[in-house]
Amino acid sequence: MTNTFLTLAQAAQGGDPMKTIIMFGILFVVMWVVMIRPQQKRQKALKAKQSSLKVGDKVITIGGMHAAVNSIGDTTVSLRIADNTFVKYDRSAIATVVTNKDEKAAK
């Protein structure tokens, strides 16, 4: 990685402008692979989890509240946080769907 920056600096000092363009292109591709693509994958997986919610699923909201899904609307979810205590959230506020593996690991 350091070698790439040295080559980029050398090309910028006075050399072939095509080398500079190629180096910036390579730098952009590396940044996309390292930073942008993984974030897009995480975002896509989260949207899939939010759209596949079922009644009874245990979830964690973005605020850290643990609850169970009581009912599901188009854009909202009713969560049961205690006996006869329900709150309504947007689907986008669901951060995690807790699975049995997660519960066993927490114990």
Side-chain angles (χ1 to χ4, degrees):
M1 195 69 161
T2 311
N3 192 17
T4 304
F5 290 120
L6 290 174
T7 307
L8 184 62
Q10 290 169 352
Q13 284 179 354
D16 189 15
M18 190 55 114
K19 282 185 180 180
T20 305
I21 293 171
I22 291 171
M23 283 296 146
F24 276 117
I26 291 171
L27 187 62
F28 175 76
V29 169
V30 167
M31 294 298 284
W32 182 77
V33 168
V34 171
M35 294 176 63
I36 297 169
R37 189 164 182 262
Q39 177 62 29
Q40 288 175 339
K41 286 177 115 178
R42 281 191 298 271
Q43 200 170 27
K44 187 176 180 180
L46 180 61
K47 290 285 183 193
K49 284 181 182 180
Q50 290 171 347
S51 65
S52 67
L53 285 175
K54 301 180 300 273
V55 174
D57 283 349
K58 294 183 180 181
V59 297
I60 302 173
T61 66
I62 56 175
M65 183 173 54
H66 293 247
V69 176
N70 182 52
S71 66
I72 301 171
D74 290 337
T75 59
T76 60
V77 178
S78 175
L79 302 176
R80 181 176 46 87
I81 55 175
D83 291 336
N84 296 322
T85 306
F86 303 98
V87 292
K88 194 176 220 180
Y89 275 87
D90 281 344
R91 278 187 188 230
S92 60
I94 304 299
T96 308
V97 177
V98 180
T99 61
N100 290 337
K101 292 178 190 176
D102 297 336
E103 289 177 348
K104 289 178 183 176
K107 292 181 180 180

